Amino acid sequence: MATWNQLGLQDGASPLMEQLIFFHDHTIMVIIMVTTLVGYIMTSLLFNKFLNRFLLEGQVIEVVWTLVPAVILIFIAMPSLQLLYLLDEVSEPILTLKTVGHQWYWTYEYSDFINVEFDSYMIPTQELADNGFRLLDVDNRTVLPMNTQICMLITAADVLHSWTIPSLGVKVDAVPGRLNQTSFMMSWPGLYFGQCSEICGANHSFMPIVIESVSTNQFINWMYKMSEE
């Protein structure tokens, strides 16, 4: 979960988010080098008193300043394309979870082996426990097993929503009448917080997402408990 003084990305809790952080750091380093070089050249030109009145063209330098940016873009584009295809990869998921966005709450449905369905509402501030997180905690958390490939099917019942968990690197639009798909795997146990990232109405800020990552045995016990209720 992000804190009030955090300026960077959240710690990666999934392989996808770790790769996104690596790509972000790679791109930032390239940008810093380009900015430093351009800044040095511009500063040198400002303090340079020499003039060349007879310079009409410079084919060599024109070729250089065309090829160098092209090579830099290739160094950025190659890992970007690799990561783009990796984000869309859904390879043999073990568990499928269906998510439906409503104004203003989420509905989750587990239907692989036991039919479990529940709504997840934000806990109002006046009902929040002392150790709760304001505007982020929900009454029914989405419990999922860690180290498990999970396929998420996302849609909406009324207007556009967006199901987002920053620490997992997941952000998928929930579109009425359309079923979007993504996959992720959580590397660590714990709580992962997110919020709707599409302006969906008056209470857009009050439909948070909480995923509880647990071991496989704890997840199976939770499933049986929910099915009995």
Side-chain angles (χ1 to χ4, degrees):
M1 184 180 67
T3 57
W4 66 272
N5 62 344
Q6 184 173 341
L7 299 179
L9 300 172
Q10 296 186 24
D11 293 336
S14 70
L16 291 178
M17 188 58 190
E18 291 177 357
Q19 292 299 319
L20 286 169
I21 293 174
F22 291 153
F23 175 69
H24 169 268
D25 296 342
H26 167 77
T27 308
I28 287 297
M29 289 303 298
V30 173
I31 292 174
I32 289 174
M33 289 188 292
V34 172
T35 304
T36 304
L37 177 61
V38 173
Y40 171 76
I41 294 175
M42 292 180 63
T43 304
S44 300
L45 290 175
L46 290 176
F47 294 98
N48 187 4
K49 299 180 180 180
F50 295 101
L51 297 175
N52 189 345
R53 295 181 298 168
F54 304 103
L55 179 63
L56 299 178
E57 63 177 354
Q59 294 184 358
V60 176
I61 190 63
E62 289 177 1
V63 171
V64 170
W65 72 40
T66 302
L67 290 181
V68 171
V71 172
I72 293 174
L73 290 177
I74 290 175
F75 273 98
I76 296 177
M78 295 305 293
S80 174
L81 291 174
Q82 182 181 6
L83 184 56
L84 184 64
Y85 283 102
L86 184 64
L87 290 173
D88 287 336
E89 182 69 24
V90 181
S91 56
E92 299 180 358
I94 299 177
L95 176 66
T96 300
L97 175 65
K98 183 178 180 181
T99 303
V100 182
H102 302 267
Q103 288 182 317
W104 288 273
Y105 62 96
W106 298 96
T107 298
Y108 299 96
E109 180 181 342
Y110 301 77
S111 56
D112 281 350
F113 28 86
I114 299 178
N115 190 16
V116 174
E117 182 178 352
F118 58 87
D119 297 330
S120 180
Y121 288 85
M122 185 193 76
I123 301 178
T125 303
Q126 59 271 20
E127 301 176 11
L128 196 63
D130 293 337
N131 60 346
F133 296 100
R134 179 177 174 270
L135 303 182
L136 285 178
D137 260 324
V138 296
D139 53 358
N140 291 314
R141 294 171 177 170
T142 309
V143 180
L144 293 172
M146 66 177 183
N147 294 326
T148 302
Q149 191 72 24
I150 298 168
C151 176
M152 177 82 65
L153 303 177
I154 302 172
T155 187
D158 35 45
V159 299
L160 291 174
H161 300 277
S162 187
W163 197 87
T164 307
I165 301 290
S167 58
L168 299 180
V170 178
K171 182 180 184 296
V172 183
D173 290 338
V175 183
R178 175 170 178 162
L179 203 60
N180 287 331
Q181 177 178 282
T182 188
S183 68
F184 59 90
M185 182 176 67
M186 295 171 291
S187 303
W188 317 104
L191 296 178
Y192 303 111
F193 295 88
Q195 290 177 303
C196 176
S197 299
E198 185 74 34
I199 299 178
C200 56
N203 292 333
H204 157 69
S205 301
F206 308 113
M207 50 183 302
I209 305 161
V210 181
I211 288 184
E212 185 174 353
S213 176
V214 298
S215 65
T216 303
N217 291 334
Q218 290 176 313
F219 172 73
I220 294 174
N221 294 334
W222 176 83
M223 287 290 291
Y224 279 113
K225 179 181 177 182
M226 291 294 293
S227 63
E228 292 176 356
E229 295 178 356

